[in-house]
Amino acid sequence: MYPDFKIKVVGHSLGGGTAALLTYVLREQKEFASTTCLAFAPAACMTWKLAESGVHFITTVINGADLVPTFSAALVDDLGSEVSY
């Protein structure tokens, strides 16, 4: 109905991670192939390889001192190993 309209998915924190994942899902459909994403401090919710594949259509904004975007399952495992030393 509106062929010139484009979708931009936006989210913050866990919503930012969800927005990024939703963008991948939408882009798999021909009519939503131009969908882009703007994620503010997104939670780490995908592999590094998947994240790198979205650099052309997902923009993230992260405060350098923010813990949420840099806190991953691997980091929790490392922290657990250090604490239970």
Side-chain angles (χ1 to χ4, degrees):
M1 188 172 198
Y2 301 99
D4 295 334
F5 281 25
K6 295 182 180 171
I7 296 174
K8 181 174 290 282
V9 185
V10 180
H12 172 259
S13 195
L14 183 56
T18 304
L21 292 172
L22 176 61
T23 301
Y24 280 102
V25 172
L26 289 173
R27 288 178 64 92
E28 290 178 356
Q29 299 178 40
K30 182 181 179 186
E31 61 269 25
F32 301 121
S34 64
T35 301
T36 58
C37 175
L38 177 58
F40 295 93
C45 61
M46 62 182 76
T47 64
W48 186 258
K49 185 176 180 179
L50 182 61
E52 284 184 327
S53 71
V55 298
H56 299 294
F57 53 89
I58 298 174
T59 301
T60 58
V61 179
I62 300 172
N63 179 351
D66 195 347
L67 178 67
V68 171
T70 59
F71 207 66
S72 65
L75 184 60
V76 171
D77 287 342
D78 292 346
L79 181 61
S81 297
E82 290 290 324
V83 171
S84 62
Y85 184 149

